[in-house]
Amino acid sequence: MVGPVVFFALFFGYPVAAIVDRGLRPDGQWELGQVGEVLTDEGIRQVLWFTTWQAAASTVLTLLLALPGAYVLARFSFPGKRVLRAVVTVPFVLPTVVVGAAFLGLIGRGGLLDDLWGLRLDTTVWAILLAHVFFNYAVVVRTVGGLWSQLDPRQEEAARLLGAGAFGAWRRVTLPALLPALAAAALMVFLFTFTSFGVVQILGGPGYATLEVEIYRQTAQLLNLPTAAVLTLLQFAAVAAMLGVHAWTVRRRESALRLVDAAATDRPPRGAGERCLLAGVLASVSVLVLLPLGVLVERSLRGPDGYGFDHYRALATTETGTFVVPPLEALGNSLRIAAVATLIALVVGGSAAAALTRGAGRLVRGFDAMLMLPLGTSAVTVGFGFLIALDSPPLDLRSSWLLVPLAQALVGVPFVIRVMLPVLRAVDDRLRQAAATLGASPLRAWWEVDLPLVRRALVLAAGFAFAVSLGEFGATVFIARPDEPTLPVAIARLLGRAGEANYGQAMALSTVLMLVCAGTLLALERVRPARSGEF
């Protein structure tokens, strides 16, 4: 447990504390009056209100639209199931700037629907809500669907034999068992939408801002660190409270239910009703997920003279003047950095998961919740904190190539833990004890006992950490070097410059990133173990 604690203290706690300290103690003395001034500011209160209600609305809408998909993937077996599971997960690992650009190209002015049918939705609230559904659909499918697939269907069948209707049996038997997973999924979706940055930044415009967008504005544009520090503390407190409740729901789900092998509950859809449900889910996924992804491809191919690969060919040049290196080099940078970040995340996350399986009590639960904080803490704060805190020996890393992989590993570690923890807990401790009795050291026992049993989960965790690292944007945008941009940073720079050529190249890079992520997730579905955590 010491290694992960030191890692988080140095590369998460220290940078966040540094930027808060710089904001609230500009002259070496605490200026706590700034807290009251910020919280009573009318503009900030509007930001807080919009942040909260859009997160609540996004959560409800995501649950309503994703629960049928969770049921279908949990209970039915059908051709292409693995492909469908990978497809609905691709949006979750895409950079939020790409998601925002996709919906802008779909429903905004001059978007696909506007071109085809003259249909243009307001590119503010509804665009933001739909983009959040697109982004978080996989959270509900994997969190709720993962538990649903392990619930014994015979309990619901017994209720129906006793006279209960289909809905009544589900409401009285299945729904109570699913409530912990539903609560966990709702909390995670609320957390991700509460801290939304790229989607709101692109689609919201100047009139709509979440806390994360306001922190970025106060930090990068206005250089108002005191206000940014107060907002960071406010968001940190809200995230900590949500993660505490989430940890409680996870404990209930793991301890209160009797589960069966997920493979034993798979069956082909029966009857017209179930076939219609499957068709409806496939149709909804096509509209909610495939259509926005298709927009990326369509916009990347469309040029002033018709469709072609001009934008892709332009990625190998520096003609637009946006970069000092060809934009396509960002792909190599992203792959290299993501590989290093994945290695760091596996070492830190794997060590943390192993420590969590061997302990219990409030201290261990608090440690588990702490490791999840990077998912909800302002990535803008972390990235800017890296620049402020890691600038002097012995942690002078501002000119080091390791800075970006370290920031990306912070986001990958929670995914490694959530994938590895259920599998490690399923390993019979008596096997480790037998190895120790035969003279094996703890390292040898792990190599001979744990590793063969968790190898598939380890590969899955590595794949998720790799995909998430590829898409990390909030912290990377602050610390990536101009001559070594990652794919998300390159996309954001292209979107930030006017001109059809820049927009087309941004869509081309977004398509490349989408294809890399989709290929990674399709490969992961082939090694996905039955108990693979929440993701």
Side-chain angles (χ1 to χ4, degrees), residues 1-9 348 351-352 355 367 370:
M1 189 181 293
V2 175
V5 169
V6 172
F7 177 83
F8 271 78
V348 176
S351 301
F367 176 59
M370 180 198 75

Side-chain angles (χ1 to χ4, degrees), residues 17-65:
I19 196 170
V20 171
D21 179 75
R22 182 74 63 91
L24 296 183
R25 290 202 314 162
D27 300 318
Q29 294 182 346
W30 290 101
E31 296 185 2
L32 298 181
Q34 182 72 26
V35 177
E37 293 179 11
V38 172
L39 296 181
T40 55
D41 182 87
E42 183 62 28
I44 298 298
R45 291 170 67 180
Q46 290 180 359
V47 169
L48 290 173
W49 168 242
F50 176 73
T51 301
T52 304
W53 84 255
Q54 66 81 25
S58 297
T59 301
V60 172
L61 193 59
T62 302
L63 287 174
L64 290 176
L65 294 175

Side-chain angles (χ1 to χ4, degrees), residues 63 143-144 178-189 245-246 248-249:
L63 287 174
T143 304
V144 180
L178 286 176
L179 281 178
L182 284 168
L187 281 166
M188 291 305 292
V189 173
V245 178
H246 177 265
W248 177 73
T249 61

Side-chain angles (χ1 to χ4, degrees), residues 176-510:
L178 286 176
L179 281 178
L182 284 168
L187 281 166
M188 291 305 292
V189 173
F190 188 87
L191 174 66
F192 291 136
T193 52
F194 187 84
T195 58
S196 181
F197 174 57
V199 167
V200 180
Q201 177 81 348
I202 290 178
L203 296 177
Y208 298 86
T210 57
L211 271 175
E212 183 83 348
V213 173
E214 187 63 20
I215 290 171
Y216 175 78
R217 190 175 76 90
Q218 296 290 340
T219 302
Q221 298 177 5
L222 303 180
L223 297 178
N224 187 352
L225 290 187
T227 298
V230 173
L231 295 180
T232 296
L233 289 176
L234 184 63
Q235 181 168 300
F236 190 84
V239 168
M242 284 185 275
L243 289 177
V245 178
H246 177 265
W248 177 73
T249 61
V250 169
R251 289 199 306 276
R252 280 195 60 194
R253 187 178 60 209
E254 289 180 346
S255 59
L257 296 175
R258 192 169 186 176
L259 305 178
V260 299
D261 185 1
T265 65
D266 268 2
R267 58 174 177 79
R270 306 176 197 147
E274 291 188 349
R275 286 193 290 271
C276 287
L277 176 61
L278 175 59
V281 167
L282 294 176
S284 66
V285 168
S286 298
V287 174
L288 289 172
V289 178
L290 293 180
L291 184 58
L293 295 178
V295 167
L296 293 179
V297 179
E298 189 270 340
R299 296 288 153 160
S300 72
L301 296 173
R302 190 171 71 170
D305 301 321
Y307 289 97
F309 293 93
D310 294 344
H311 296 312
Y312 288 90
R313 284 191 286 267
L315 295 178
T317 70
T318 58
E319 293 179 357
T320 61
T322 306
F323 301 96
V324 296
V325 295
L328 195 59
E329 287 192 14
L331 175 60
N333 297 334
S334 287
L335 293 175
R336 183 178 66 255
I337 292 171
V340 177
T342 300
L343 180 60
I344 298 172
L346 283 178
V347 173
V348 176
S351 301
L356 289 170
T357 60
R358 290 169 171 79
R362 292 184 178 180
L363 180 62
V364 173
R365 292 197 295 269
F367 176 59
D368 188 12
M370 180 198 75
L371 296 173
M372 292 286 288
L373 282 175
L375 285 182
T377 304
S378 169
V380 171
T381 300
V382 174
F384 198 47
F386 266 42
L387 294 180
I388 291 177
L390 306 180
D391 64 343
S392 58
L395 287 175
D396 187 4
L397 299 176
R398 284 198 300 181
S399 59
S400 172
W401 64 272
L402 268 175
L403 199 62
V404 177
L406 286 170
Q408 293 183 357
L410 282 172
V411 183
V413 166
F415 289 90
V416 173
I417 294 172
R418 297 271 72 83
V419 170
M420 295 294 299
L421 196 55
V423 182
L424 286 172
R425 284 176 173 165
V427 176
D428 192 340
D429 194 53
R430 291 174 296 182
L431 297 175
R432 302 186 185 102
Q433 295 171 4
T437 302
L438 294 173
S441 65
L443 181 61
R444 178 69 180 276
W446 180 86
W447 183 265
E448 298 290 345
V449 176
D450 290 61
L451 183 59
L453 296 174
V454 304
R455 184 181 292 115
R456 289 166 67 89
L458 190 65
V459 173
L460 183 69
F464 262 108
F466 182 78
V468 170
S469 297
L470 280 176
E472 205 289 320
F473 170 70
T476 307
V477 70
F478 275 92
I479 56 182
R481 296 171 55 179
D483 58 337
E484 293 185 358
T486 62
L487 277 174
V489 172
I491 292 167
R493 288 181 186 173
L494 288 167
L495 287 174
R497 295 176 66 93
E500 186 176 345
N502 286 313
Y503 180 79
Q505 289 183 43
M507 294 299 100
L509 274 183
S510 299

